[in-house]
């Protein structure tokens, strides 16, 4: 684990790892690394930005901390409580991650969220996105779905659920789980 004083922000790319703790950033150059296992600090909100990473590994948020994974890629995404998979890339194992911010690219991306009980923001950006969201009514997470190209795209939201669903003009609710 890095730090010991406050939350950590990790920015991981194929060539570099930047770790910011307590306002101090350390940079580590990487060469020929395929697996990264990152563990945040237990004293705050840790952020793991893996937008420029094409390898595998694990992201571990210590108990008692609030942890977020961020990925911006022109790829398809699969998010569960225990993994983040991007099409044609190795899987990242997630442990104690409560929030996810996933942003696609200009192509038509597919976002699949299944067995996820945290909060997630899914942004399609462009193209004709498909959002496949599976809700089981367990947990209290909120999933926010958006696309900056709303007027010129034909996005599809597929909801799969196993509990009573309440639908309004701006929200779907399955037990305490919400899609905005």
């Amino acid at each position: 684990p890095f730090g010991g004083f406050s939350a950590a922000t990790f920015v991981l790319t194929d060539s570099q790892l930047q770790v910011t703790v307590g306002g101090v950033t350390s940079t580590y150059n990487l060469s020929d690394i395929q697996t990264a296992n990152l563990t945040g600090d237990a004293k705050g909100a840790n952020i793991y930005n893996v937008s420029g990473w094409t390898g595998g590994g694990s992201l571990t948020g210590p108990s008692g901390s609030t942890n977020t994974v961020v990925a911006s890629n022109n790829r398809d995404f699969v998010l569960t409580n225990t993994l983040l998979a991007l099409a044609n890339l190795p899987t990242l194992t997630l442990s104690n991650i409560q929030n996810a911010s996933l942003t696609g690219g200009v192509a038509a991306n597919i976002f699949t969220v299944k067995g996820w009980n945290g909060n997630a923001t899914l942004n399609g950006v462009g193209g004709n996105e498909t959002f496949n969201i599976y809700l089981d009514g367990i947990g209290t997470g909120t999933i926010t779905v958006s696309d900056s190209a709303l007027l010129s795209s034909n996005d599809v939201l597929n909801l799969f659920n196993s509990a009573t669903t309440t639908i309004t003009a701006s929200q779907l609710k399955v037990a305490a789980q919400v899609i905005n």
Side-chain angles (χ1 to χ4, degrees), residues 2 23 30 36 51 73 82 100 123 139 179:
F2 287 90
L30 306 176
S51 298
N73 299 85
T82 58
N123 186 0
I179 300 175

Side-chain angles (χ1 to χ4, degrees), residues 100-153:
S101 177
L102 308 179
T103 303
V106 296
N109 303 116
I110 299 171
F111 295 81
T112 301
V113 179
K114 187 173 185 178
W116 173 255
N117 296 322
N119 299 310
T121 299
L122 312 176
N123 186 0
V125 177
N128 296 323
E129 271 64 59
T130 300
F131 300 92
N132 297 315
I133 301 175
Y134 297 77
L135 298 178
D136 54 14
I138 299 171
T140 58
T142 298
I143 299 173
T144 301
V145 176
S146 66
D147 189 329
S148 57
L150 288 176
L151 298 177
S152 62
S153 67

